[in-house]
Amino acid sequence: QVQLVESGGGLVQAGGSLRLSCAASGSIFSIYVMAWYRRAPGKQRELVARIDSRGNTNYADSVKGRFTISRDNAKNMMFLQMNSLSPEDAAVYYCNAGPTYTSTPYWGQGTQVTVSS
């Protein structure tokens, strides 16, 4: 089993920045892919960005150029640097992880990001 704990959410003004963190513990040897998802009220959950152990990354088009995903394998941590935030970015952000791109069964509890206009 893998436990994921997010932190770093909060309230920020439009145009501001936040940095989310995800700490992994447990059977971390099984983690190859880590990702950030988000769910806004009334919307489906969407993939924001993901990164594998080699540092390969993917981003949703809506966050390209504004968000940066990174990972510290030695500390079992993942980060999401979010810049130029807009109200459309407001959501609960979830950390996700798993052994392959098609199998990421582990989820954190989520952290709220609120962006005021």
Side-chain angles (χ1 to χ4, degrees), residues 20 26 31 36-37 48 54 71 81 88 91 108 110:
L20 304 183
I31 297 176
W36 289 100
Y37 282 79
V48 176
R54 299 179 182 180
R71 182 170 173 175
Q81 178 65 43
E88 289 70 35

Side-chain angles (χ1 to χ4, degrees), residues 69-108:
I69 190 171
S70 61
R71 182 170 173 175
D72 185 334
N73 293 324
K75 296 183 178 180
N76 304 315
M77 298 285 294
M78 177 179 65
F79 307 97
L80 185 69
Q81 178 65 43
M82 305 186 294
N83 298 329
S84 302
L85 285 161
S86 72
E88 289 70 35
D89 296 312
V92 177
Y93 283 70
Y94 296 92
C95 178
N96 170 251
T100 71
Y101 277 97
T102 55
S103 175
T104 54
Y106 307 115
W107 292 90

Side-chain angles (χ1 to χ4, degrees), residues 12-64:
V12 64
Q13 288 188 331
S17 299
L18 278 176
R19 187 189 193 216
L20 304 183
S21 300
C22 173
S25 61
S27 302
I28 55 178
F29 60 87
S30 66
I31 297 176
Y32 178 67
V33 177
M34 298 187 77
W36 289 100
Y37 282 79
R38 67 186 181 187
R39 176 174 281 161
K43 295 185 178 181
Q44 291 188 334
R45 183 178 64 196
E46 64 172 342
L47 175 65
V48 176
R50 63 184 179 187
I51 184 169
D52 64 28
S53 295
R54 299 179 182 180
N56 299 307
T57 59
N58 301 102
Y59 294 91
D61 288 343
S62 59
V63 307
K64 282 181 181 177

